[in-house]
C-alpha cells in the first residue's frame, strides 16, 4: 500500500465520520422538534380539562398556561411543569393545614 493510498483512505474515513456526526445531529434535532410538537399538543389537551380534573393530577390551569406561554416553538412545555408544581408544593408545605 502506498502512502497516497493510505492518505486517501484516512481522508475518506474522516469525511464519513463528519457525515455520520452531522446526520446524527440532524436526526437528534428532528426528533426533538417532533417530541416538542407532540408534547405541545398534549399540553393543549390538558388545557381542555376541567379545573377539578387538573387538580386531581396536581396541576392548575395557570400551570398549563404558564408552561405553554413560556416554552418556545422547539421547547418541551412539559419540562416547565415539574418546576411549577414543586414550587407550589414547597409553599403549601409550610402553610398550616385547614380542616
Amino acid at each position: 500500500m502506498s502512502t497516497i493510498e493510505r492518505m486517501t483512505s484516512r481522508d475518506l474515513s474522516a469525511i464519513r465520520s463528519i457525515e455520520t456526526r452531522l446526520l446524527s445531529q440532524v436526526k437528534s434535532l428532528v426528533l426533538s422538534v417532533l417530541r416538542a410538537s407532540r408534547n405541545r399538543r398534549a399540553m393543549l389537551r390538558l388545557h381542555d380539562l376541567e379545573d377539578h380534573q387538573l387538580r386531581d393530577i396536581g396541576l392548575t390551569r395557570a400551570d398549563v398556561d404558564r408552561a405553554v406561554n413560556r416554552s418556545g416553538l422547539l421547547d418541551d412545555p412539559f419540562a416547565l411543569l415539574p418546576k411549577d408544581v414543586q414550587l407550589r408544593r414547597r409553599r403549601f408545605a409550610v402553610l398550616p393545614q385547614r380542616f
Side-chain angles (χ1 to χ4, degrees):
M1 182 179 264
S2 70
T3 306
I4 294 174
E5 290 173 6
R6 276 189 244 139
M7 290 178 66
T8 305
S9 175
R10 287 183 192 154
D11 291 343
L12 287 176
S13 66
I15 290 171
R16 286 186 185 128
S17 176
I18 291 170
E19 288 173 348
T20 303
R21 280 184 283 179
L22 182 62
L23 184 62
S24 175
Q25 290 173 346
V26 168
K27 179 183 173 185
S28 177
L29 178 66
V30 168
L31 288 176
S32 68
V33 168
L34 291 174
R35 182 176 45 251
S37 174
R38 182 189 66 223
N39 288 345
R40 185 169 289 283
R41 285 192 307 271
M43 185 66 70
L44 292 175
R45 284 193 299 263
L46 275 177
H47 196 273
D48 292 339
L49 293 177
E50 300 291 329
D51 288 337
H52 69 278
Q53 293 171 317
L54 287 171
R55 231 174 307 139
D56 285 345
I57 58 175
L59 297 173
T60 64
R61 186 152 319 278
D63 293 334
V64 176
D65 289 339
R66 195 174 311 116
V68 170
N69 292 333
R70 270 198 269 163
S71 62
L73 184 62
L74 302 178
D75 298 330
D76 184 1
F78 279 99
L80 298 174
L81 279 180
K83 294 175 188 172
D84 294 336
V85 173
Q86 289 173 5
L87 287 174
R88 187 172 49 253
R89 284 182 185 155
R90 284 188 209 131
R91 277 184 283 173
F92 285 123
V94 177
L95 298 176
Q97 297 291 328
R98 294 184 201 169
F99 296 100

